[in-house]
Amino acid sequence: MGPARSFQNLLLSLALFSAAARAIDSAEASRRFWVENDTFWKDGAPFQIVGGDVHYFRIVPEYWRDRLLRAKALGLNAIQTYVPWNLHEPEPQSWEFKGFANIESYLRLAQELDMLVMLRVGPYICGEWDLGGFPPWLLTVEPAIELRSSDSTYLSLVERWWGVLLPKVTPLLYNNGGPIIMVQIENEFGSFGDDKNYLHYLVELARRYLGNDIMLYTTDGGAIGNLKNGSITQDDVFAAVDFETGSNPWPIFRLQKEYNLPGKSAPLSSEFYTGWLTHWGESISTTDASNTAKALKRILCHNGSAVLYMAHGGTNFGFYNGANTGQNESDYKADLTSYDYDAPIKEYGDVHNTKYKALRRVIHECTGIPLRPLPSNIERASYGLVKVQKVTSLFDIIDKISDPLKVAFSEQPLSMELMGQMFGFLLYVSEYQEKHSSSVLSIPKVHDRAQVFVSCAHDDAPRYVGIIERWSSKTLQIPNLSCSSNVRLYILVENMGRVNYGPYIFDQKGILSSVEIDGIILRHWKMYPVSLNALGNLSKLQLIMQMTDAQASTVSIYGDPENKLSDVSSYLNEGISEEPVFYEGHFHINSEVETKDTFISFRGWNKGVAFVNNFNIGRFWPAIGPQCALYVPAPILKPGDNVVVIFELHSPNSERTIELVKDPDYTCGQ
């Protein structure tokens, strides 16, 4: 080949490269999502949002793909998700973006599956999530900050948080080649306050990182007061609405237009409720599938857009469930561990249900989105009854599972947050001089539930007295113990989940008042943070059980496959007492193919927390219900020996068994 021919080939290659580059630039330039003529537009064509909330933090990451595919098969073209600040900054400037918190992987997965994303970055999210997504360490800042306001300290912390989050989000915006078409500012602020300076600041901060091309939006209830307080029209922020399912949507959409710029009010219900939340002590909330489908049809078949809240609810694993209050902060109701929400995609992924099929038909009928094959359900297994053994009382192990550097002494009780105990339990201990008759204990303010025990100061066996709860009696009769020394008072307080909505969101936990015995204030408190995170390390603690013979023995709360707790069970106190106790059970799975989703039924148990293979699957409270069983996704399990550790606050069922079953159960306490 001659020099001239080589030169021609070089020119041709350069021309082809230049053309390809221009094509890429043109394609990127055409990637645009906006609103015009009261219609959403995507890449130059009208677009109808048919979305659904699917929260990455309520699903084990191994199931993200599965749940998104089920949402896609429902007919959805977009997913919506909150971003909980407390998950990503659990301690000041300690950032988490792995595992459940790997939001970038989740968003890229959505794009891989050809689904758009509506991202709700807060900083407040509500969502039946602890403290509305705020990190609880915000409650320790002095002077106390005013959440959801123009408070300068609060805004500086929001700026620090968004300064980490939003640069991760920016490459994933739609105009940058990613899946994110809209970013929500705050959440339902109009039902909380009217601090427009706060909202303007959030918009300015978001634009600083995300640019001017991304569509920002707010969500507020479809009423004049909510939209007036929560919309930010002058900042060109799109105002979406939510409203009760079954309401006539079109008068609300017409009201929505008054709070958007002219021509920029595409009708959008950004929370179309497919079900509702449930608190402990209530009957499980359900909604009629046919009525829900008819309500969705009134929106979609008239070219409105809607986002199903929820498409898939998932689970409040660990201690992340939220709570609500009524007329005052004592009227407290905590949310269940299950966040099934009666959504079309059930907590465990089931889609072969009436609601999923009804909504799928409506979406297809109204939008023409092709019906995809109905996904098969993930298999579930019943592993049967599991006998559990008592390992130890909390009082016997408190020095082992409380970090000695965090145990504190104080004249008055300190809040959990000031103790650095952001979730779970805190044990308060003090002493008082006994009278000849019984005494009255008073705790005017406890958040949320206190179990009270007493013993003589030199006696290591606390005796259960009763409960003082945030929502009920604040006093308790304490019997006379006839002690030769002082009486030692133990108060175990459970944080049952921080309020996530309303005026009482500044929800500190623990004992928040003085404690009185017969009107006299108790002083000199010792406080033990109960570190349940340390359960995985209990096997290293070599807990020494007191044996009746001369031979001492050691057992682990997780045991040894060759030396189960049953080997020493004869030495344990087999009587059932009203005290917080750790129990352990084992079950065997033969192979990988037999490792399947399951539920642990706690029927007959009282109240507590459960761990499977060191994973906190959540709270159980069958004594009041309605949730009897906790969901255990297969990725938590393994072939071979699987370990369940139960922290029961009162007493187990009489047989000391749990049962691993195929199906959920919402009929406890009924």
Side-chain angles (χ1 to χ4, degrees), residues 608-625:
V609 186
F611 302 79
V612 176
N613 296 333
N614 298 343
F615 183 90
N616 186 337
I617 60 170
R619 310 173 200 264
F620 60 88
W621 199 2
I624 71 163

Side-chain angles (χ1 to χ4, degrees), residues 243-254 298-299:
F243 44 84
E244 185 178 348
T245 302
S247 300
N248 184 349
W250 291 98
I252 299 172
F253 288 145
R254 285 193 290 273
R298 285 198 291 270
I299 297 174

Side-chain angles (χ1 to χ4, degrees), residues 650-662:
H650 294 276
S651 56
N653 65 12
S654 57
E655 295 82 17
R656 287 193 180 174
T657 58
I658 54 174
E659 186 172 9
L660 281 78
V661 297
K662 285 186 177 182

Side-chain angles (χ1 to χ4, degrees), residues 159-264:
E159 183 169 353
R160 188 177 74 190
W161 156 230
W162 276 11
V164 173
L165 173 67
L166 297 187
K168 294 178 180 293
V169 167
T170 301
L172 298 169
L173 300 179
Y174 189 73
N175 53 292
N176 292 335
I180 302 171
I181 55 171
M182 299 173 71
V183 174
Q184 182 176 301
I185 300 297
E186 247 276 349
N187 188 54
E188 295 180 329
F189 185 75
S191 62
F192 176 81
D194 59 0
D195 187 346
K196 293 287 187 175
N197 290 332
Y198 166 52
L199 297 180
H200 293 318
Y201 178 82
L202 293 181
V203 173
E204 186 276 325
L205 186 60
R207 295 276 184 221
R208 188 189 310 171
Y209 290 103
L210 304 179
N212 295 320
D213 293 332
I214 184 68
M215 185 186 297
L216 302 180
Y217 70 112
T218 57
T219 293
D220 283 291
I224 293 174
N226 295 334
L227 286 164
K228 180 181 178 181
N229 291 338
S231 61
I232 329 170
T233 310
Q234 59 269 50
D235 289 346
D236 194 17
V237 175
F238 178 81
V241 290
D242 58 36
F243 44 84
E244 185 178 348
T245 302
S247 300
N248 184 349
W250 291 98
I252 299 172
F253 288 145
R254 285 193 290 273
L255 178 64
Q256 177 194 5
K257 291 183 70 171
E258 297 180 22
Y259 295 91
N260 278 307
L261 295 175
K264 292 194 172 185

Side-chain angles (χ1 to χ4, degrees), residues 104 220 240 242 265 310 400 577 602 606 658 669-670:
E104 293 167 279
D220 283 291
D242 58 36
S265 193
M310 301 288 297
K400 303 287 196 308
S577 59
F602 288 93
N606 197 301
I658 54 174
Q670 304 300 300

